[in-house]
Amino acid sequence: MDVDTGITSEVFTIKSETRLIDIFNNIINKKSEACLNYIDNLNLDKNTKIVVVGTYFTGMGIVKKLSEKYNNILLIDIYPHLKELLDTNIGGNYKNSINFSTDLELIKSGDVVIDTTGFGGLNVEQSSEINAEVFLIEDPVAEDNDSLLKDKNNIHERINSVNSSNKAILKTKGINTKTSGTMTLTIGVLTNALQESQKKEGVLYSACEMGFFEEVIFKEKNIPKFVELVSKNAMKISTINPFSCDDLIKTQLDKIESKMI
């Protein structure tokens, strides 16, 4: 446990060993494992053409996980700079090579198509052009606790329009967030952990290092800066009674479940 003295020798600052990137990767791994297990159960050839649409954290984690067993993987995203995420530790490392393209027309080339684009991603018309043996789509809604987001969600129309004999939805929830995005869930983990920390005797205040990092990725388009920012300790607490704040984070992560439905 990382402990420093605070304002006085009787007040301590405790820091989590868990970094923001560790929280990302824990959540990403739950999602990618669910996809890998589903595809493995179909006994597909290792050279089956797999196309994943959407490079943000879920898509990145899925292609890296699938590359452990499959040889023909294409990642598609309209933002070319997101290819840089392949060479970061976001979502782990990849084994077999992964191709990258910004050409959405290549979605039609997949034997397996995985849509992680969520709100504002592929529309029903684009989905209707997909003819694949397997089609998986991530549900961007987590707990159905927001009527506006629920009404905005069109994944059921999208999945129904696809011509595929094997269809499934990737559903991730568990900590009462509104959406299932990895960034949303990370914020949820930290928010809940901060609230729990305040219930402990001797705690003065708590803070986390989470910023609005999506601007760094999509506005500044600075992937190295983003990786540096998320490599910091996720949580710090001022207390007169030191304890492990990693346990608070783990408790929240353990509540998150990702499965195919």
Side-chain angles (χ1 to χ4, degrees):
M1 182 169 61
D2 189 348
V3 182
D4 291 327
T5 52
I7 300 172
T8 70
S9 60
E10 295 183 3
V11 179
F12 302 93
T13 300
I14 56 176
K15 305 173 186 177
S16 68
E17 293 183 9
T18 305
R19 303 167 299 164
L20 290 170
I21 192 172
D22 298 324
I23 299 175
F24 293 154
N25 285 343
N26 182 287
I27 297 167
I28 292 168
N29 188 62
K30 292 175 187 283
K31 296 181 179 185
S32 56
E33 282 282 354
C35 288
L36 177 63
N37 291 337
Y38 181 90
I39 292 173
D40 276 351
N41 287 334
L42 297 175
N43 296 315
L44 301 175
D45 185 270
K46 301 304 179 185
N47 293 312
T48 296
K49 178 68 173 292
I50 300 176
V51 174
V52 178
V53 192
T55 303
Y56 207 23
F57 298 155
T58 300
M60 185 61 55
I62 289 173
V63 295
K64 288 183 175 181
K65 179 67 70 174
L66 292 178
S67 76
E68 296 174 5
K69 295 188 177 182
Y70 297 92
N71 305 317
N72 191 2
I73 300 174
L74 172 64
L75 180 60
I76 298 176
D77 199 282
I78 60 173
Y79 296 102
H81 74 284
L82 294 187
K83 181 181 180 181
E84 295 178 48
L85 286 171
L86 283 169
D87 296 319
T88 70
N89 290 328
I90 301 291
N93 299 310
Y94 59 91
K95 180 179 178 182
N96 295 314
S97 62
I98 298 169
N99 296 313
F100 181 91
S101 178
T102 58
D103 185 359
L104 290 177
E105 288 295 312
L106 293 177
I107 297 170
K108 304 173 188 176
S109 67
D111 301 308
V112 176
V113 177
I114 304 174
D115 178 2
T116 71
T117 57
F119 294 116
L122 295 184
N123 57 38
V124 175
E125 182 180 354
Q126 289 170 313
S127 301
S128 68
E129 297 177 347
I130 297 173
N131 291 279
E133 184 176 351
V134 182
F135 179 73
L136 309 180
I137 189 168
E138 181 178 25
D139 189 347
V141 168
E143 310 284 351
D144 292 332
N145 53 12
D146 187 301
S147 58
L148 290 180
L149 290 173
K150 186 176 181 180
D151 291 342
K152 180 74 172 177
N153 189 10
N154 70 345
I155 64 159
H156 294 288
E157 290 86 349
R158 283 151 66 179
I159 197 171
N160 288 336
S161 70
V162 171
N163 181 19
S164 175
S165 55
N166 298 285
K167 300 180 183 180
I169 296 171
L170 176 63
K171 185 74 173 180
T172 307
K173 60 180 183 177
I175 56 172
N176 201 35
T177 56
K178 291 186 177 184
T179 79
S180 64
T182 300
M183 190 68 81
T184 301
L185 287 166
T186 297
I187 292 289
V189 165
L190 292 171
T191 300
N192 293 351
L194 288 175
Q195 290 175 344
E196 289 301 311
S197 73
Q198 291 299 311
K199 298 176 183 179
K200 288 187 171 291
E201 294 290 327
V203 169
L204 283 70
Y205 63 90
S206 311
C208 65
E209 295 296 330
M210 193 71 208
F212 203 79
F213 295 151
E214 289 187 359
E215 291 183 342
V216 179
I217 297 175
F218 293 102
K219 300 299 182 182
E220 298 180 35
K221 298 182 179 180
N222 191 333
I223 301 302
K225 178 180 177 180
F226 172 76
V227 173
E228 180 181 357
L229 288 170
V230 301
S231 297
K232 298 179 180 179
N233 308 79
M235 191 174 184
K236 296 179 181 178
I237 298 174
S238 178
T239 179
I240 61 172
N241 183 32
F243 58 91
S244 173
C245 44
D246 290 290
D247 291 341
L248 296 175
I249 295 172
K250 183 179 184 301
T251 296
Q252 297 303 316
L253 286 172
D254 287 346
K255 294 178 182 179
I256 298 173
E257 178 186 41
S258 192
K259 62 182 181 179
M260 307 304 301
I261 59 176

PDB file of all heavy atoms in Angstrom, residues 168-198:
ATOM      1  N   ALA A 168     -26.271 -12.216 -31.537  1.00  0.00           N
ATOM      2  CA  ALA A 168     -26.278 -12.063 -30.082  1.00  0.00           C
ATOM      3  C   ALA A 168     -25.952 -10.626 -29.713  1.00  0.00           C
ATOM      4  O   ALA A 168     -25.360  -9.877 -30.500  1.00  0.00           O
ATOM      5  CB  ALA A 168     -25.286 -13.023 -29.426  1.00  0.00           C
ATOM      6  N   ILE A 169     -26.352 -10.261 -28.493  1.00  0.00           N
ATOM      7  CA  ILE A 169     -26.114  -8.916 -27.966  1.00  0.00           C
ATOM      8  C   ILE A 169     -25.158  -9.007 -26.785  1.00  0.00           C
ATOM      9  O   ILE A 169     -25.344  -9.831 -25.880  1.00  0.00           O
ATOM     10  CB  ILE A 169     -27.436  -8.267 -27.515  1.00  0.00           C
ATOM     11  CG1 ILE A 169     -28.364  -8.067 -28.719  1.00  0.00           C
ATOM     12  CG2 ILE A 169     -27.176  -6.932 -26.822  1.00  0.00           C
ATOM     13  CD1 ILE A 169     -29.776  -7.630 -28.329  1.00  0.00           C
ATOM     14  N   LEU A 170     -24.134  -8.158 -26.791  1.00  0.00           N
ATOM     15  CA  LEU A 170     -23.199  -8.062 -25.668  1.00  0.00           C
ATOM     16  C   LEU A 170     -23.769  -7.080 -24.652  1.00  0.00           C
ATOM     17  O   LEU A 170     -23.905  -5.895 -24.937  1.00  0.00           O
ATOM     18  CB  LEU A 170     -21.828  -7.588 -26.159  1.00  0.00           C
ATOM     19  CG  LEU A 170     -20.765  -7.341 -25.081  1.00  0.00           C
ATOM     20  CD1 LEU A 170     -20.423  -8.632 -24.342  1.00  0.00           C
ATOM     21  CD2 LEU A 170     -19.515  -6.715 -25.693  1.00  0.00           C
ATOM     22  N   LYS A 171     -24.116  -7.597 -23.483  1.00  0.00           N
ATOM     23  CA  LYS A 171     -24.746  -6.785 -22.440  1.00  0.00           C
ATOM     24  C   LYS A 171     -23.818  -6.682 -21.235  1.00  0.00           C
ATOM     25  O   LYS A 171     -23.369  -7.696 -20.687  1.00  0.00           O
ATOM     26  CB  LYS A 171     -26.059  -7.430 -22.012  1.00  0.00           C
ATOM     27  CG  LYS A 171     -26.876  -6.616 -21.011  1.00  0.00           C
ATOM     28  CD  LYS A 171     -27.533  -5.421 -21.675  1.00  0.00           C
ATOM     29  CE  LYS A 171     -28.489  -4.706 -20.695  1.00  0.00           C
ATOM     30  NZ  LYS A 171     -29.136  -3.527 -21.321  1.00  0.00           N
ATOM     31  N   THR A 172     -23.524  -5.448 -20.812  1.00  0.00           N
ATOM     32  CA  THR A 172     -22.635  -5.217 -19.675  1.00  0.00           C
ATOM     33  C   THR A 172     -23.310  -4.288 -18.681  1.00  0.00           C
ATOM     34  O   THR A 172     -23.795  -3.219 -19.058  1.00  0.00           O
ATOM     35  CB  THR A 172     -21.296  -4.599 -20.129  1.00  0.00           C
ATOM     36  OG1 THR A 172     -20.729  -5.404 -21.174  1.00  0.00           O
ATOM     37  CG2 THR A 172     -20.320  -4.521 -18.974  1.00  0.00           C
ATOM     38  N   LYS A 173     -23.347  -4.701 -17.422  1.00  0.00           N
ATOM     39  CA  LYS A 173     -24.009  -3.885 -16.395  1.00  0.00           C
ATOM     40  C   LYS A 173     -23.529  -4.324 -15.012  1.00  0.00           C
ATOM     41  O   LYS A 173     -22.662  -5.195 -14.898  1.00  0.00           O
ATOM     42  CB  LYS A 173     -25.524  -4.037 -16.487  1.00  0.00           C
ATOM     43  CG  LYS A 173     -26.032  -5.454 -16.282  1.00  0.00           C
ATOM     44  CD  LYS A 173     -27.542  -5.515 -16.401  1.00  0.00           C
ATOM     45  CE  LYS A 173     -28.069  -6.920 -16.124  1.00  0.00           C
ATOM     46  NZ  LYS A 173     -29.544  -6.967 -16.173  1.00  0.00           N
ATOM     47  N   GLY A 174     -24.085  -3.713 -13.963  1.00  0.00           N
ATOM     48  CA  GLY A 174     -23.761  -4.173 -12.628  1.00  0.00           C
ATOM     49  C   GLY A 174     -23.592  -3.106 -11.558  1.00  0.00           C
ATOM     50  O   GLY A 174     -23.730  -3.384 -10.371  1.00  0.00           O
ATOM     51  N   ILE A 175     -23.287  -1.867 -11.963  1.00  0.00           N
ATOM     52  CA  ILE A 175     -23.049  -0.832 -10.943  1.00  0.00           C
ATOM     53  C   ILE A 175     -23.964   0.380 -11.134  1.00  0.00           C
ATOM     54  O   ILE A 175     -23.646   1.494 -10.737  1.00  0.00           O
ATOM     55  CB  ILE A 175     -21.569  -0.398 -10.902  1.00  0.00           C
ATOM     56  CG1 ILE A 175     -21.089   0.085 -12.274  1.00  0.00           C
ATOM     57  CG2 ILE A 175     -20.700  -1.537 -10.384  1.00  0.00           C
ATOM     58  CD1 ILE A 175     -19.692   0.695 -12.233  1.00  0.00           C
ATOM     59  N   ASN A 176     -25.112   0.132 -11.776  1.00  0.00           N
ATOM     60  CA  ASN A 176     -26.167   1.143 -11.936  1.00  0.00           C
ATOM     61  C   ASN A 176     -25.736   2.361 -12.748  1.00  0.00           C
ATOM     62  O   ASN A 176     -26.158   3.491 -12.475  1.00  0.00           O
ATOM     63  CB  ASN A 176     -26.694   1.605 -10.574  1.00  0.00           C
ATOM     64  CG  ASN A 176     -28.082   2.230 -10.675  1.00  0.00           C
ATOM     65  OD1 ASN A 176     -28.900   1.810 -11.488  1.00  0.00           O
ATOM     66  ND2 ASN A 176     -28.352   3.231  -9.857  1.00  0.00           N
ATOM     67  N   THR A 177     -24.881   2.140 -13.752  1.00  0.00           N
ATOM     68  CA  THR A 177     -24.563   3.217 -14.693  1.00  0.00           C
ATOM     69  C   THR A 177     -25.656   3.282 -15.751  1.00  0.00           C
ATOM     70  O   THR A 177     -26.416   2.335 -15.940  1.00  0.00           O
ATOM     71  CB  THR A 177     -23.210   2.974 -15.377  1.00  0.00           C
ATOM     72  OG1 THR A 177     -23.231   1.689 -16.011  1.00  0.00           O
ATOM     73  CG2 THR A 177     -22.075   3.049 -14.382  1.00  0.00           C
ATOM     74  N   LYS A 178     -25.713   4.387 -16.464  1.00  0.00           N
ATOM     75  CA  LYS A 178     -26.717   4.527 -17.510  1.00  0.00           C
ATOM     76  C   LYS A 178     -26.303   3.812 -18.792  1.00  0.00           C
ATOM     77  O   LYS A 178     -27.144   3.258 -19.497  1.00  0.00           O
ATOM     78  CB  LYS A 178     -26.984   6.007 -17.795  1.00  0.00           C
ATOM     79  CG  LYS A 178     -27.686   6.731 -16.659  1.00  0.00           C
ATOM     80  CD  LYS A 178     -28.057   8.150 -17.073  1.00  0.00           C
ATOM     81  CE  LYS A 178     -28.825   8.843 -15.967  1.00  0.00           C
ATOM     82  NZ  LYS A 178     -29.280  10.196 -16.374  1.00  0.00           N
ATOM     83  N   THR A 179     -25.019   3.865 -19.125  1.00  0.00           N
ATOM     84  CA  THR A 179     -24.556   3.191 -20.335  1.00  0.00           C
ATOM     85  C   THR A 179     -23.493   2.157 -19.986  1.00  0.00           C
ATOM     86  O   THR A 179     -22.977   2.116 -18.869  1.00  0.00           O
ATOM     87  CB  THR A 179     -23.975   4.178 -21.377  1.00  0.00           C
ATOM     88  OG1 THR A 179     -22.636   4.542 -20.997  1.00  0.00           O
ATOM     89  CG2 THR A 179     -24.840   5.412 -21.507  1.00  0.00           C
ATOM     90  N   SER A 180     -23.180   1.322 -20.976  1.00  0.00           N
ATOM     91  CA  SER A 180     -22.233   0.228 -20.768  1.00  0.00           C
ATOM     92  C   SER A 180     -20.848   0.546 -21.302  1.00  0.00           C
ATOM     93  O   SER A 180     -19.989  -0.338 -21.359  1.00  0.00           O
ATOM     94  CB  SER A 180     -22.758  -1.039 -21.452  1.00  0.00           C
ATOM     95  OG  SER A 180     -22.825  -0.843 -22.862  1.00  0.00           O
ATOM     96  N   GLY A 181     -20.629   1.775 -21.713  1.00  0.00           N
ATOM     97  CA  GLY A 181     -19.321   2.156 -22.234  1.00  0.00           C
ATOM     98  C   GLY A 181     -18.239   1.987 -21.189  1.00  0.00           C
ATOM     99  O   GLY A 181     -18.468   2.202 -19.994  1.00  0.00           O
ATOM    100  N   THR A 182     -17.050   1.602 -21.624  1.00  0.00           N
ATOM    101  CA  THR A 182     -15.952   1.376 -20.682  1.00  0.00           C
ATOM    102  C   THR A 182     -15.612   2.643 -19.909  1.00  0.00           C
ATOM    103  O   THR A 182     -15.331   2.595 -18.714  1.00  0.00           O
ATOM    104  CB  THR A 182     -14.707   0.862 -21.424  1.00  0.00           C
ATOM    105  OG1 THR A 182     -15.043  -0.367 -22.084  1.00  0.00           O
ATOM    106  CG2 THR A 182     -13.548   0.620 -20.472  1.00  0.00           C
ATOM    107  N   MET A 183     -15.657   3.795 -20.571  1.00  0.00           N
ATOM    108  CA  MET A 183     -15.382   5.047 -19.884  1.00  0.00           C
ATOM    109  C   MET A 183     -16.469   5.342 -18.854  1.00  0.00           C
ATOM    110  O   MET A 183     -16.180   5.749 -17.714  1.00  0.00           O
ATOM    111  CB  MET A 183     -15.279   6.196 -20.881  1.00  0.00           C
ATOM    112  CG  MET A 183     -14.756   7.483 -20.296  1.00  0.00           C
ATOM    113  SD  MET A 183     -13.011   7.395 -19.812  1.00  0.00           S
ATOM    114  CE  MET A 183     -12.218   7.637 -21.414  1.00  0.00           C
ATOM    115  N   THR A 184     -17.727   5.111 -19.224  1.00  0.00           N
ATOM    116  CA  THR A 184     -18.834   5.324 -18.294  1.00  0.00           C
ATOM    117  C   THR A 184     -18.708   4.414 -17.084  1.00  0.00           C
ATOM    118  O   THR A 184     -18.889   4.838 -15.939  1.00  0.00           O
ATOM    119  CB  THR A 184     -20.181   5.050 -18.985  1.00  0.00           C
ATOM    120  OG1 THR A 184     -20.334   5.919 -20.102  1.00  0.00           O
ATOM    121  CG2 THR A 184     -21.338   5.281 -18.023  1.00  0.00           C
ATOM    122  N   LEU A 185     -18.404   3.147 -17.328  1.00  0.00           N
ATOM    123  CA  LEU A 185     -18.266   2.192 -16.230  1.00  0.00           C
ATOM    124  C   LEU A 185     -17.083   2.539 -15.334  1.00  0.00           C
ATOM    125  O   LEU A 185     -17.148   2.381 -14.105  1.00  0.00           O
ATOM    126  CB  LEU A 185     -18.109   0.777 -16.795  1.00  0.00           C
ATOM    127  CG  LEU A 185     -19.376   0.169 -17.392  1.00  0.00           C
ATOM    128  CD1 LEU A 185     -19.038  -1.061 -18.226  1.00  0.00           C
ATOM    129  CD2 LEU A 185     -20.379  -0.192 -16.307  1.00  0.00           C
ATOM    130  N   THR A 186     -16.003   3.029 -15.930  1.00  0.00           N
ATOM    131  CA  THR A 186     -14.840   3.438 -15.134  1.00  0.00           C
ATOM    132  C   THR A 186     -15.200   4.588 -14.204  1.00  0.00           C
ATOM    133  O   THR A 186     -14.849   4.582 -13.015  1.00  0.00           O
ATOM    134  CB  THR A 186     -13.675   3.849 -16.057  1.00  0.00           C
ATOM    135  OG1 THR A 186     -13.271   2.716 -16.835  1.00  0.00           O
ATOM    136  CG2 THR A 186     -12.485   4.341 -15.249  1.00  0.00           C
ATOM    137  N   ILE A 187     -15.906   5.568 -14.737  1.00  0.00           N
ATOM    138  CA  ILE A 187     -16.374   6.685 -13.910  1.00  0.00           C
ATOM    139  C   ILE A 187     -17.282   6.157 -12.798  1.00  0.00           C
ATOM    140  O   ILE A 187     -17.210   6.590 -11.642  1.00  0.00           O
ATOM    141  CB  ILE A 187     -17.129   7.718 -14.759  1.00  0.00           C
ATOM    142  CG1 ILE A 187     -16.177   8.435 -15.715  1.00  0.00           C
ATOM    143  CG2 ILE A 187     -17.844   8.729 -13.871  1.00  0.00           C
ATOM    144  CD1 ILE A 187     -15.237   9.380 -15.050  1.00  0.00           C
ATOM    145  N   GLY A 188     -18.147   5.188 -13.142  1.00  0.00           N
ATOM    146  CA  GLY A 188     -19.035   4.600 -12.151  1.00  0.00           C
ATOM    147  C   GLY A 188     -18.282   3.887 -11.048  1.00  0.00           C
ATOM    148  O   GLY A 188     -18.626   4.004  -9.862  1.00  0.00           O
ATOM    149  N   VAL A 189     -17.258   3.134 -11.422  1.00  0.00           N
ATOM    150  CA  VAL A 189     -16.424   2.441 -10.436  1.00  0.00           C
ATOM    151  C   VAL A 189     -15.805   3.444  -9.466  1.00  0.00           C
ATOM    152  O   VAL A 189     -15.852   3.269  -8.243  1.00  0.00           O
ATOM    153  CB  VAL A 189     -15.319   1.618 -11.135  1.00  0.00           C
ATOM    154  CG1 VAL A 189     -14.235   1.195 -10.139  1.00  0.00           C
ATOM    155  CG2 VAL A 189     -15.907   0.395 -11.816  1.00  0.00           C
ATOM    156  N   LEU A 190     -15.223   4.500 -10.010  1.00  0.00           N
ATOM    157  CA  LEU A 190     -14.540   5.488  -9.174  1.00  0.00           C
ATOM    158  C   LEU A 190     -15.522   6.292  -8.321  1.00  0.00           C
ATOM    159  O   LEU A 190     -15.270   6.548  -7.139  1.00  0.00           O
ATOM    160  CB  LEU A 190     -13.718   6.424 -10.047  1.00  0.00           C
ATOM    161  CG  LEU A 190     -12.512   5.775 -10.731  1.00  0.00           C
ATOM    162  CD1 LEU A 190     -11.882   6.731 -11.741  1.00  0.00           C
ATOM    163  CD2 LEU A 190     -11.475   5.348  -9.704  1.00  0.00           C
ATOM    164  N   THR A 191     -16.647   6.679  -8.903  1.00  0.00           N
ATOM    165  CA  THR A 191     -17.653   7.433  -8.149  1.00  0.00           C
ATOM    166  C   THR A 191     -18.169   6.620  -6.971  1.00  0.00           C
ATOM    167  O   THR A 191     -18.270   7.113  -5.841  1.00  0.00           O
ATOM    168  CB  THR A 191     -18.825   7.832  -9.065  1.00  0.00           C
ATOM    169  OG1 THR A 191     -18.349   8.649 -10.131  1.00  0.00           O
ATOM    170  CG2 THR A 191     -19.881   8.605  -8.279  1.00  0.00           C
ATOM    171  N   ASN A 192     -18.494   5.354  -7.237  1.00  0.00           N
ATOM    172  CA  ASN A 192     -18.996   4.491  -6.167  1.00  0.00           C
ATOM    173  C   ASN A 192     -17.938   4.237  -5.102  1.00  0.00           C
ATOM    174  O   ASN A 192     -18.232   4.205  -3.905  1.00  0.00           O
ATOM    175  CB  ASN A 192     -19.477   3.158  -6.747  1.00  0.00           C
ATOM    176  CG  ASN A 192     -20.714   3.317  -7.621  1.00  0.00           C
ATOM    177  OD1 ASN A 192     -21.318   4.383  -7.665  1.00  0.00           O
ATOM    178  ND2 ASN A 192     -21.093   2.256  -8.309  1.00  0.00           N
ATOM    179  N   ALA A 193     -16.690   4.048  -5.555  1.00  0.00           N
ATOM    180  CA  ALA A 193     -15.597   3.811  -4.610  1.00  0.00           C
ATOM    181  C   ALA A 193     -15.365   5.039  -3.727  1.00  0.00           C
ATOM    182  O   ALA A 193     -15.112   4.918  -2.520  1.00  0.00           O
ATOM    183  CB  ALA A 193     -14.319   3.448  -5.365  1.00  0.00           C
ATOM    184  N   LEU A 194     -15.462   6.226  -4.316  1.00  0.00           N
ATOM    185  CA  LEU A 194     -15.310   7.463  -3.539  1.00  0.00           C
ATOM    186  C   LEU A 194     -16.415   7.581  -2.497  1.00  0.00           C
ATOM    187  O   LEU A 194     -16.170   7.951  -1.342  1.00  0.00           O
ATOM    188  CB  LEU A 194     -15.329   8.674  -4.466  1.00  0.00           C
ATOM    189  CG  LEU A 194     -14.105   8.897  -5.352  1.00  0.00           C
ATOM    190  CD1 LEU A 194     -14.341  10.074  -6.288  1.00  0.00           C
ATOM    191  CD2 LEU A 194     -12.854   9.115  -4.519  1.00  0.00           C
ATOM    192  N   GLN A 195     -17.643   7.255  -2.900  1.00  0.00           N
ATOM    193  CA  GLN A 195     -18.765   7.329  -1.959  1.00  0.00           C
ATOM    194  C   GLN A 195     -18.576   6.343  -0.805  1.00  0.00           C
ATOM    195  O   GLN A 195     -18.855   6.675   0.356  1.00  0.00           O
ATOM    196  CB  GLN A 195     -20.073   7.049  -2.697  1.00  0.00           C
ATOM    197  CG  GLN A 195     -20.487   8.152  -3.658  1.00  0.00           C
ATOM    198  CD  GLN A 195     -21.717   7.810  -4.472  1.00  0.00           C
ATOM    199  OE1 GLN A 195     -22.119   6.640  -4.558  1.00  0.00           O
ATOM    200  NE2 GLN A 195     -22.332   8.810  -5.082  1.00  0.00           N
ATOM    201  N   GLU A 196     -18.101   5.146  -1.121  1.00  0.00           N
ATOM    202  CA  GLU A 196     -17.875   4.151  -0.069  1.00  0.00           C
ATOM    203  C   GLU A 196     -16.748   4.578   0.864  1.00  0.00           C
ATOM    204  O   GLU A 196     -16.795   4.316   2.065  1.00  0.00           O
ATOM    205  CB  GLU A 196     -17.556   2.790  -0.701  1.00  0.00           C
ATOM    206  CG  GLU A 196     -18.737   2.120  -1.379  1.00  0.00           C
ATOM    207  CD  GLU A 196     -19.895   1.876  -0.417  1.00  0.00           C
ATOM    208  OE1 GLU A 196     -19.641   1.336   0.688  1.00  0.00           O
ATOM    209  OE2 GLU A 196     -21.039   2.230  -0.763  1.00  0.00           O
ATOM    210  N   SER A 197     -15.747   5.237   0.308  1.00  0.00           N
ATOM    211  CA  SER A 197     -14.617   5.669   1.142  1.00  0.00           C
ATOM    212  C   SER A 197     -15.066   6.681   2.189  1.00  0.00           C
ATOM    213  O   SER A 197     -14.522   6.728   3.302  1.00  0.00           O
ATOM    214  CB  SER A 197     -13.507   6.268   0.273  1.00  0.00           C
ATOM    215  OG  SER A 197     -13.868   7.553  -0.231  1.00  0.00           O
ATOM    216  N   GLN A 198     -16.044   7.504   1.840  1.00  0.00           N
ATOM    217  CA  GLN A 198     -16.515   8.529   2.771  1.00  0.00           C
ATOM    218  C   GLN A 198     -17.254   7.936   3.964  1.00  0.00           C
ATOM    219  O   GLN A 198     -17.447   8.602   4.983  1.00  0.00           O
ATOM    220  CB  GLN A 198     -17.429   9.513   2.036  1.00  0.00           C
ATOM    221  CG  GLN A 198     -16.718  10.390   1.019  1.00  0.00           C
ATOM    222  CD  GLN A 198     -15.653  11.266   1.653  1.00  0.00           C
ATOM    223  OE1 GLN A 198     -15.912  11.939   2.657  1.00  0.00           O
ATOM    224  NE2 GLN A 198     -14.462  11.259   1.089  1.00  0.00           N
TER     225      GLN A 198
END
